[in-house]
Amino acid sequence: MIDKLYDELNVMEKEVFKKIINQLLGKTFIVNHIYDENKKTSIMNPDYRFVERNLDLFKNYLELGGWNLERNDNYEVIYITSNYGYNKARLDKFTTIILYLLRLMFDQKRENINLTDQIVVSVSEIISTLNEIGAYEKKKPSVIELRTALKTIAGFNIIQKVDGQYENPETKIIILPSILFAVTAESITKINETIKDTKEAEEVVEEEEIIIGEDVE
């Protein structure tokens, strides 16, 4: 069945298939709407559309390796989970704090917009919110800490930079809907319950991680 579906692709489509398989294994998430830096606007992601058109091929191929291809039509997110617990991306404490913070900001902002609208925040908003919730022992993260954390999270297709540098306070960042499947509501509740006590909150986030390949919300 897989051979038949694959053979039906032309040469160019076969290359796209290989590229997207690698993207899924490396980044976990693919979203439908992405920001095009050249056009300066949101566009439909051709990779997402390609997977949609060849869903059975992707599912069958990934199942051979113990992976499940998941699709959420409401938020237009495609991602993979694993039947095994081998593949995990363990984040450092600060990156984990930023990840949870972005999920909180996503939840707050999506209450006032349409489902299809993109959620955009600035780096200065992220730093301000970080200080407000008191989840970090320093008043302001270093440039290297902030850049590294945001680049790591962007590497999973969870956020996308609009322009500028990550360390620039004016830089705009799109929080993609894939964050809903990277950070569960249960984890957010857990952090919220302990965030008042900075020390206790730090102990909690050290235990948390993005799980690549386990079932997510």
Side-chain angles (χ1 to χ4, degrees):
M1 180 63 175
I2 296 177
D3 291 341
K4 181 178 183 299
L5 292 172
Y6 182 75
D7 288 341
E8 289 175 353
L9 302 178
N10 61 39
V11 174
M12 184 177 296
E13 289 173 333
K14 288 177 180 178
E15 287 302 312
V16 174
F17 172 76
K18 294 173 185 176
K19 183 196 75 172
I20 295 177
I21 285 292
N22 277 272
Q23 182 182 170
L24 283 167
L25 293 174
K27 296 177 177 289
T28 305
F29 300 102
I30 294 177
V31 298
N32 186 26
H33 292 91
I34 57 176
Y35 182 79
D36 187 297
E37 294 184 7
N38 295 322
K39 296 180 179 180
K40 305 297 181 184
T41 189
S42 174
I43 63 169
M44 289 187 176
N45 186 353
D47 289 347
Y48 185 95
R49 295 301 183 185
F50 186 86
V51 176
E52 275 193 324
R53 293 195 302 272
N54 300 279
L55 201 59
D56 288 339
L57 173 59
F58 278 92
K59 282 186 173 182
N60 294 339
Y61 182 86
L62 288 164
E63 282 176 1
L64 289 176
W67 294 91
N68 302 307
L69 185 73
E70 312 285 354
R71 180 178 63 168
N72 183 283
D73 291 330
N74 289 333
Y75 291 99
E76 296 182 313
V77 178
I78 289 172
Y79 59 97
I80 57 173
T81 62
S82 174
N83 295 321
Y84 307 95
Y86 302 138
N87 294 71
K88 295 182 180 181
R90 187 176 296 276
L91 305 181
D92 61 50
K93 180 174 65 177
F94 180 71
T95 303
T96 304
I97 291 173
I98 294 297
L99 180 63
Y100 282 118
L101 184 68
L102 290 167
R103 170 66 198 261
L104 288 172
M105 297 176 77
F106 184 93
D107 288 343
Q108 291 169 355
K109 289 181 176 290
R110 69 171 169 162
E111 293 177 356
N112 301 316
I113 65 172
N114 296 323
L115 189 64
T116 56
D117 289 342
Q118 290 187 318
I119 293 176
V120 182
V121 299
S122 66
V123 171
S124 62
E125 283 184 85
I126 295 173
I127 297 173
S128 176
T129 306
L130 180 65
N131 292 330
E132 286 175 7
I133 66 174
Y136 190 55
E137 65 271 20
K138 301 177 184 178
K139 288 186 177 180
K140 185 178 179 180
S142 71
V143 170
I144 294 176
E145 282 181 312
L146 189 61
R147 180 176 63 239
T148 301
L150 292 174
K151 286 183 70 175
T152 298
I153 295 169
F156 289 101
N157 285 335
I158 296 172
I159 61 173
Q160 185 181 10
K161 180 163 58 69
V162 175
D163 54 23
Q165 304 299 318
Y166 282 117
E167 57 269 30
N168 186 337
E170 302 304 318
T171 294
K172 301 295 184 182
I173 292 175
I174 300 170
I175 308 177
L176 303 172
S178 46
I179 197 166
L180 295 171
F181 308 94
V183 183
T184 65
E186 289 78 10
S187 296
I188 287 294
T189 300
K190 186 178 180 181
I191 292 296
N192 283 338
E193 289 174 349
T194 58
I195 209 71
K196 294 179 181 179
D197 185 327
T198 303
K199 182 177 180 180
E200 187 178 359
E202 289 169 7
E203 290 174 352
V204 171
V205 295
E206 284 178 347
E207 298 172 358
E208 297 297 334
E209 59 191 15
I210 290 181
I211 304 298
I212 299 178
E214 288 190 358
D215 288 335
V216 290
E217 180 189 29

